[in-house]
Amino acid sequence: MNELSVRALTGLILIAIALIAAVQGGYVLAVLVAAIATLMFYEWTRLTKGWGAGWYLGGFIYALLPALALLWIRERDVHGLALLIWAFIVTWSTDIGAYFSGRRFGRRKLAPTLSPNKTVEGLAGGVIAAALLGGAWAIAMDLGKPLLLLAPVFAIFAQAGDLFESGMKRRAGVKDSGALLPGHGGALDRLDGLVPVAILTAAAQMCGLT
């Protein structure tokens, strides 16, 4: 299998696991989220070894906040499942849209000092994909008009999360945060975009925007 096929297969498996856990909710989702948060913190400590105690505290918060946000979103109200899936859709469509549009149209570097492969065209493709797919899901599930505007905004934050983790890896001198996920790297590599989206979605829910 080529790299793209491996990446796609791994991605489909991860999507299936995430959706099954989201639908089940309760202890199933809580156990999965706790396990992933623990793995994220472990990878973070490996990346930041020798950077100082503040980075360890930062890693704990980095793993804990999105974990709590995901559980809050799911269990908060009757629209929790639909809203959680919306957060997934925004994150996944941003990643996929940025990947393919960047490969096809990418010319101008987005942040070469952090991630040389990311382009402005890739960012645009990710934002458009999130706006279309996230917007379509919000309309279908009657989640509220504000999410139509928040989808592309959150897509930008998802890309920012990706760039932040890329900067950490660049400083640590590694390509991936781990090797657990074929074609994707580690848990941090796969979830760096979901971290801000989960937190922001929970905040939007608290503010009554859904």
Side-chain angles (χ1 to χ4, degrees), residues 45-131:
T45 58
R46 291 185 60 193
L47 278 179
T48 62
K49 186 177 181 180
W51 294 9
W55 281 94
Y56 287 91
L57 176 60
F60 179 77
I61 296 172
Y62 183 89
L64 179 64
L65 285 185
L68 294 177
L70 292 173
L71 297 177
W72 170 276
I73 293 167
R74 176 62 178 88
E75 304 299 336
R76 178 60 176 163
D77 55 42
V78 295
H79 298 293
L81 174 58
L83 185 59
L84 180 59
I85 293 176
W86 179 85
F88 289 159
I89 289 173
V90 169
T91 305
W92 296 336
S93 58
T94 300
D95 185 49
I96 295 171
Y99 179 80
F100 284 105
S101 61
R103 285 171 64 97
R104 178 63 179 85
F105 304 107
R107 295 292 184 274
R108 290 167 290 186
K109 300 298 183 181
L110 179 62
T113 58
L114 296 177
S115 182
N117 293 328
K118 288 183 173 55
T119 63
V120 174
E121 293 80 4
L123 171 62
V127 170
I128 292 171

Side-chain angles (χ1 to χ4, degrees), residues 1 4-20 92 96 182 184 190:
M1 297 178 69
L4 181 58
S5 298
V6 172
R7 183 181 178 89
L9 179 59
T10 303
L12 289 173
I13 293 173
L14 294 175
I15 288 173
I17 292 173
L19 291 178
I20 291 172
W92 296 336
I96 295 171
H184 293 269
R190 183 65 273 149

Side-chain angles (χ1 to χ4, degrees), residues 137-163:
W137 181 260
I139 292 173
M141 296 293 106
D142 194 24
L143 293 177
K145 292 181 180 179
L147 292 189
L148 300 179
L149 298 176
L150 291 179
V153 174
F154 286 9
I156 295 174
F157 279 95
Q159 288 286 285
D162 195 328
L163 286 174

